[in-house]
C-alpha cells in the first residue's frame, strides 16, 4: 500500500532559525495536504498542493510539491515560539481521496 | 474552532469494556472520517462515512465499528477494549473531496 515518509521526526531550533520538513511518497500523489497539530491540540489544515512543481507561501511558511508529485516540503523562515507543534503531510493517490498521513515532524523552538 | 464537535473529551474505562465516541460534523459536511492517534503509530485512518454510507475502510479492527446517522452525526463503537486501544480518537469532516477539518478528539484510556 501507499506509504508516506516524513523526516525528520524531531527538530530542535533556536528561535529565529529556519526549519524544513520533508515528505516522500512511495507512489505518485494526486495532491498533498499539510496540517499542524499544536501540543494537546488537533490537526489543523494548513494548505493543499495539487500541481506538479507547485509552490505556495503563507507568510513565513513555504510549501513545495515536487515535479514528480512524489515529494513535498514545508519550510519555515525565522521560526517563532508560536510555530511549535507537529507538522503532518498527507497525500492521496490512485484515485482515492483518503489521504495517508506521514508520521509528522515535531518542531521544538527554543527561545 | 473547526466546527466539528466530539464527545466525550476524555474517557477512562477498563479492559473488556465497550465505549461509544460521538462526532458531529461541520454544518453542511456530509463526510465523516475517524482516526486513531497513538504515540507509536501516528495518525491512522480508521473509516469514512459519506451521507450515511460507509465509503472507505482503513486500519479498523473488527472489534471497532462505526455508523453515520440521518442527521449526519457519527458514532465510533469500540468493544472488548484492550490496553493497546488507549489513544486519541479524532473525527474529521469534509465535503466530498475537500480538506478535512478535525474535531478536538476523545482521549481514551483503557486501564
Amino acid at each position: 500500500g501507499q506509504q508516506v515518509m516524513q523526516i525528520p521526526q524531531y527538530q530542535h531550533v533556536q528561535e529565529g532559525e529556519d526549519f524544513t520538513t520533508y515528505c516522500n511518497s512511495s507512489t505518485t500523489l494526486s495532491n498533498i495536504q499539510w496540517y499542524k497539530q499544536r501540543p494537546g491540540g488537533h490537526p489543523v489544515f494548513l494548505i493543499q498542493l495539487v500541481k506538479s512543481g507547485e509552490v505556495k507561501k503563507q507568510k513565513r511558511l513555504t510549501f513545495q510539491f515536487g515535479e514528480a508529485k512524489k515529494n513535498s516540503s514545508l519550510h519555515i523562515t525565522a521560526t517563532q515560539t508560536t510555530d511549535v507543534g507537529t507538522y503532518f503531510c498527507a497525500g492521496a493517490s490512485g484515485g482515492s481521496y483518503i489521504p495517508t498521513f506521514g508520521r509528522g515532524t515535531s518542531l521544538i523552538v527554543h527561545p | 474552532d473547526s466546527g466539528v464537535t466530539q464527545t466525550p473529551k476524555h474517557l477512562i474505562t477498563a479492559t473488556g469494556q465497550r465505549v461509544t465516541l460521538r462526532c458531529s460534523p461541520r454544518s453542511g459536511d456530509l463526510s465523516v472520517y475517524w482516526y486513531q492517534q497513538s504515540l507509536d503509530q501516528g495518525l491512522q485512518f480508521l473509516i469514512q462515512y459519506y451521507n450515511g454510507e460507509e465509503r472507505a475502510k482503513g486500519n479498523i479492527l473488527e472489534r471497532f465499528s462505526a455508523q453515520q446517522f440521518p442527521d449526519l452525526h457519527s458514532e465510533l463503537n469500540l468493544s472488548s477494549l484492550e490496553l493497546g486501544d488507549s489513544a486519541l480518537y479524532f473525527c474529521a469532516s469534509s465535503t466530498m473531496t475537500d480538506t478535512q477539518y478535525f474535531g478536538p478528539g476523545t482521549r481514551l484510556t483503557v486501564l
Side-chain angles (χ1 to χ4, degrees), chain A residues 97, chain B residues 32 45-58 60 64-68:
Chain A
Y97 50 85
Chain B
V32 168
F45 167 69
L46 296 178
I47 198 164
Q48 182 218 357
Y49 278 81
Y50 178 80
N51 203 20
E53 306 256 335
E54 182 187 303
R55 270 301 176 98
K57 249 182 177 176
I60 188 165
F64 296 1
S65 65
Q67 53 184 329
Q68 187 178 28

Side-chain angles (χ1 to χ4, degrees), chain B residues 31-90:
Chain B
S31 207
V32 168
Y33 307 77
W34 286 98
Y35 290 87
Q36 180 192 59
Q37 186 176 45
S38 56
L39 282 173
D40 58 342
Q41 292 292 326
L43 201 60
Q44 297 285 317
F45 167 69
L46 296 178
I47 198 164
Q48 182 218 357
Y49 278 81
Y50 178 80
N51 203 20
E53 306 256 335
E54 182 187 303
R55 270 301 176 98
K57 249 182 177 176
N59 301 319
I60 188 165
L61 300 171
E62 284 192 13
R63 301 183 284 110
F64 296 1
S65 65
Q67 53 184 329
Q68 187 178 28
F69 295 86
D71 67 352
L72 301 178
H73 90 271
S74 178
E75 293 181 356
L76 179 66
N77 301 295
L78 315 175
S79 62
S80 303
L81 285 167
E82 302 174 358
L83 295 177
D85 297 327
S86 295
L88 263 172
Y89 290 84
F90 286 108

Side-chain angles (χ1 to χ4, degrees), chain A residues 18-31:
Chain A
D18 292 356
F19 159 78
T20 305
T21 172
Y22 300 91
C23 184
N24 291 288
S25 170
S26 57
T27 59
T28 302
L29 301 170
S30 52
N31 65 66

Side-chain angles (χ1 to χ4, degrees), chain A residues 21-64:
Chain A
T21 172
Y22 300 91
C23 184
N24 291 288
S25 170
S26 57
T27 59
T28 302
L29 301 170
S30 52
N31 65 66
I32 192 149
Q33 299 168 5
W34 285 91
Y35 293 79
K36 176 184 178 182
Q37 184 175 18
R38 293 181 187 275
H42 58 275
V44 174
F45 171 76
L46 294 176
I47 208 160
Q48 176 171 283
L49 305 173
V50 178
K51 298 176 186 174
S52 168
E54 189 170 11
V55 177
K56 285 188 176 180
K57 291 191 176 186
Q58 289 180 351
K59 296 183 181 176
R60 295 178 295 104
L61 277 61
T62 302
F63 303 84
Q64 294 191 28

Side-chain angles (χ1 to χ4, degrees), chain A:
Chain A
Q2 180 192 3
Q3 289 189 329
V4 174
M5 309 297 291
Q6 205 174 339
I7 56 168
Q9 190 174 355
Y10 300 94
Q11 183 77 58
H12 290 255
V13 299
Q14 289 294 129
E15 190 172 18
E17 291 182 338
D18 292 356
F19 159 78
T20 305
T21 172
Y22 300 91
C23 184
N24 291 288
S25 170
S26 57
T27 59
T28 302
L29 301 170
S30 52
N31 65 66
I32 192 149
Q33 299 168 5
W34 285 91
Y35 293 79
K36 176 184 178 182
Q37 184 175 18
R38 293 181 187 275
H42 58 275
V44 174
F45 171 76
L46 294 176
I47 208 160
Q48 176 171 283
L49 305 173
V50 178
K51 298 176 186 174
S52 168
E54 189 170 11
V55 177
K56 285 188 176 180
K57 291 191 176 186
Q58 289 180 351
K59 296 183 181 176
R60 295 178 295 104
L61 277 61
T62 302
F63 303 84
Q64 294 191 28
F65 201 8
E67 294 290 341
K69 299 182 75 173
K70 293 180 78 171
N71 58 76
S72 181
S73 65
L74 157 58
H75 179 83
I76 302 179
T77 304
T79 54
Q80 300 174 358
T81 54
T82 53
D83 295 326
V84 164
T86 300
Y87 293 84
F88 292 95
C89 63
S93 66
S96 168
Y97 50 85
I98 306 294
T100 299
F101 279 78
R103 293 290 297 269
T105 295
S106 293
L107 172 63
I108 301 102
V109 180
H110 299 277

